[in-house]
Amino acid sequence: MYTASSSVSAPSRLQQRTVVPAGSGPYPVPAQTGRARRPAGPMGQPLSGRIDLSGPQGAQLRKAVASVHRICPEFHPVQVLRRSGRSVLIVGTTGRTTAVAKCLLDHSPAWAERLRHEIASYRAFVRHRPPVRAPRLIAADPENCTLVIERMPGRPAALTRHPVEAPPRADLRAVLGAVVRLNSWRPPAGMFDAPLDYGSRISRYHELGLFTDRDLGDLQKLLHGVAQAGGRQGMAQFCHGDALLSNMLLSPTGPVLVDWEHAGWYLPGYDLATLWSVLGDAPMARRQISQLAQQQGTAARDAFLVNLMLVLTREIRTYETAVQRTMREASPVTAAQPPAAGMAAGEEQRLLLRRLHDDCALARRAVRAAVGTR
């Protein structure tokens, strides 16, 4: 990881294929229910289904559809693709175009800011197209946190954040190619900001006990070296900011990147670090990522290592919370709720968490080695 020949030591996770429920992934194909014919979507997949607008959740959904109609009156909702406590994705049609509407349900400042940032990204792409494919903006309302974009053809490169099995080599090659092209793009000044304050994030993780005193000192030294090599602005690289395989659709005409709510300027290698963190079952892909991160010299390598430590620590925090939540939900065990499924999910999360800790230890050793060469 630090050098091209570094090994990857990670425990194997459960080698069972996870059953992915309908509606998961970024823009999955809706399940076909009933026999009513609907307008065909991309790749010839017919859109079918029914939106349930009854009950308390139906009232919330009616409000979301109304917010879409205010900015896109011709939008005809067909089916809910994904729904969480924060947002809802609705697939529908606008004339002869298949579209996806994203509406925020939780209007807390943090989530509202993320969706507004995504809207700003799509608006910027209208004037300056990135070197990778992205959905076309149809309509948006930043105040009400509503976004309508075209529904792109393709299948997700992965259905989960951390895929249990490594994707095919051809898929990984296409994904890496798209990320490299995007990272080499230089949009006009002022179009995007820097979403991540590296110094503050490192200090915060140190205060939370996630970084040791030595981690803090080592990462600050690498940041100082990167700044001396060309300044943070000079070393800045445009990144997607959430370059997960589940945020990439693979189509015959090339990868499509979706969910641009974190796009902006980062230290070099942030997208590569994100991909490295989720490819625990693809050591060859990780080695290729490490090689790409080191091609631009020592400063770019050090920036990649800083990014990797931050990304892996964030993932550890996320899955530690998930494991704790699963344990709470699995106890007490009742006869009406068999614990087998919950226990399997909890074991999967624990194995993933153990791998992430191993990866973080590997990244920590690489950081210390990089500091030692300065």
Side-chain angles (χ1 to χ4, degrees):
M1 193 266 319
Y2 166 60
T3 61
S5 60
S6 295
S7 61
V8 176
S9 174
S12 59
R13 286 181 279 159
L14 292 177
Q15 297 300 314
Q16 61 182 17
R17 186 174 299 275
T18 304
V19 178
V20 181
S24 60
Y27 302 121
V29 179
Q32 298 182 20
T33 59
R35 303 185 64 178
R37 297 186 61 83
R38 297 282 185 179
M43 306 295 287
Q45 298 144 344
L47 296 179
S48 61
R50 182 177 62 87
I51 296 181
D52 185 5
L53 300 177
S54 61
Q57 290 188 346
Q60 193 178 51
L61 195 56
R62 286 196 300 271
K63 184 178 179 180
V65 172
S67 68
V68 175
H69 282 159
R70 279 195 293 270
I71 59 173
C72 188
E74 67 274 18
F75 182 81
H76 172 67
V78 175
Q79 190 173 15
V80 174
L81 286 183
R82 186 176 66 200
R83 184 174 187 163
S84 67
R86 296 188 296 268
S87 63
V88 60
L89 284 178
I90 305 171
V91 65
T93 58
T94 57
R96 301 180 64 182
T97 302
T98 309
V100 173
K102 184 175 184 178
C103 304
L104 203 62
L105 303 177
D106 177 1
H107 285 260
S108 60
W111 292 109
E113 180 59 29
R114 286 177 61 172
L115 186 54
R116 287 167 185 156
H117 184 91
E118 185 174 11
I119 290 173
S121 298
Y122 281 115
R123 284 180 169 175
F125 294 159
V126 172
R127 301 186 299 274
H128 300 277
R129 297 296 296 176
V132 297
R133 299 184 66 206
R136 178 178 59 87
L137 176 66
I138 296 176
D141 181 1
E143 293 301 320
N144 291 316
C145 297
T146 304
L147 171 66
V148 183
I149 57 176
E150 67 174 326
R151 184 171 184 241
M152 301 293 285
R155 56 180 175 81
L159 293 173
T160 58
R161 188 179 186 90
H162 291 264
V164 175
E165 298 179 357
R169 290 185 180 180
D171 291 356
L172 290 173
R173 186 165 54 248
V175 164
L176 281 176
V179 168
V180 170
R181 290 195 303 275
L182 179 65
N183 294 159
S184 64
W185 186 45
R186 307 293 295 185
M191 286 184 59
F192 294 92
D193 57 10
L196 176 59
D197 185 328
Y198 282 86
S200 298
R201 182 67 60 86
I202 291 171
S203 297
R204 180 187 175 194
Y205 283 171
H206 177 253
E207 293 170 357
L208 293 172
L210 302 171
F211 285 161
T212 65
D213 291 344
R214 182 170 179 179
D215 291 336
L216 176 65
D218 287 346
L219 292 173
Q220 289 176 339
K221 288 178 183 177
L222 292 186
L223 279 181
H224 181 69
V226 171
Q228 284 187 325
R232 294 191 184 182
Q233 185 175 1
M235 285 293 295
Q237 181 183 75
F238 184 80
C239 294
H240 178 276
D242 198 21
L244 303 168
L245 294 173
S246 54
N247 284 337
M248 302 183 189
L249 305 178
L250 300 175
S251 71
T253 54
V256 181
L257 274 63
V258 298
D259 288 351
W260 292 86
E261 57 192 22
H262 299 286
W265 297 100
Y266 294 79
L267 290 182
Y270 189 86
D271 283 344
L272 292 177
T274 301
L275 280 173
W276 195 97
S277 70
V278 300
L279 288 172
D281 292 299
M284 294 302 296
R286 281 186 161 185
R287 180 167 299 183
Q288 185 178 357
I289 291 172
S290 299
Q291 292 170 342
L292 288 171
Q294 298 178 70
Q295 285 180 354
Q296 302 302 317
T298 302
R301 176 207 65 186
D302 292 350
F304 169 73
L305 292 176
V306 172
N307 286 322
L308 193 57
M309 282 291 290
L310 293 178
V311 169
L312 287 170
T313 303
R314 179 199 65 200
E315 293 297 298
I316 288 172
R317 289 190 69 197
T318 299
Y319 282 93
E320 282 181 342
T321 302
V323 169
Q324 293 170 1
R325 182 170 59 249
T326 300
M327 292 178 64
R328 288 196 301 268
E329 292 174 352
S331 180
V333 177
T334 64
Q337 296 179 341
M343 292 176 63
E347 181 65 13
E348 179 83 9
Q349 291 170 348
R350 283 189 290 271
L351 289 173
L352 172 58
L353 188 57
R354 188 175 70 178
R355 194 264 289 172
L356 289 171
H357 277 290
D358 285 352
D359 288 345
C360 196
L362 180 61
R364 180 175 286 110
R365 290 194 297 271
V367 166
R368 293 176 180 177
V371 171
T373 63
R374 288 194 164 275

